[in-house]
Amino acid sequence: MDFTITNNKIYFKKEDKELAYIELDYTPDGLVVFEKVFVDPQLRGQGVASKIMTFAADYFAKEKITVVPMCSYANTWYLRHEEYLNGAKMPDDDP
């Protein structure tokens, strides 16, 4: 599964249709916010959301950019994958 990164989205596309994506936003202090994680119903239950999250977490860790997982799925994913928590600023963290 190949993912594409743009300024505001990481996505998986097949036949010109986005089937999975993470909507991104950036804060003035250089953090990237995961606003929404979406997987098309035909791919749900196949681990696609976790795959795109792993790709995104690895990418931003390599770029040394801290992630704020605002979307409930992204937040839960980070809590379940503690090895990535160093690269995240959880929404409940103090400033």
Side-chain angles (χ1 to χ4, degrees):
M1 185 167 283
D2 294 323
F3 299 106
T4 301
I5 303 170
T6 67
N7 284 339
N8 64 349
K9 195 179 280 189
I10 296 174
Y11 64 90
F12 168 68
K13 187 186 248 186
K14 186 174 181 181
E15 298 174 5
D16 292 330
K17 182 179 179 187
E18 286 183 4
L19 298 175
Y21 61 80
I22 301 173
E23 288 182 356
L24 308 172
D25 195 12
Y26 294 86
T27 67
D29 54 345
L31 306 176
V32 63
V33 180
F34 287 12
E35 295 285 350
K36 178 180 180 180
V37 177
F38 170 82
V39 175
D40 190 272
Q42 70 184 7
L43 293 180
R44 290 183 187 159
Q46 299 175 41
V48 174
S50 188
K51 288 176 187 171
I52 197 170
M53 283 294 301
T54 300
F55 175 85
D58 286 340
Y59 174 81
F60 288 112
K62 181 180 172 192
E63 297 295 317
K64 298 186 181 354
I65 298 172
T66 300
V67 171
V68 180
M70 291 302 294
C71 147
S72 62
Y73 178 84
N75 192 298
T76 299
W77 185 90
Y78 269 94
L79 292 173
R80 290 182 180 163
H81 296 84
E82 294 181 3
E83 66 273 23
Y84 289 101
L85 280 175
N86 285 341
K89 180 180 184 326
M90 301 307 285
D92 295 330
D93 286 354
D94 292 327

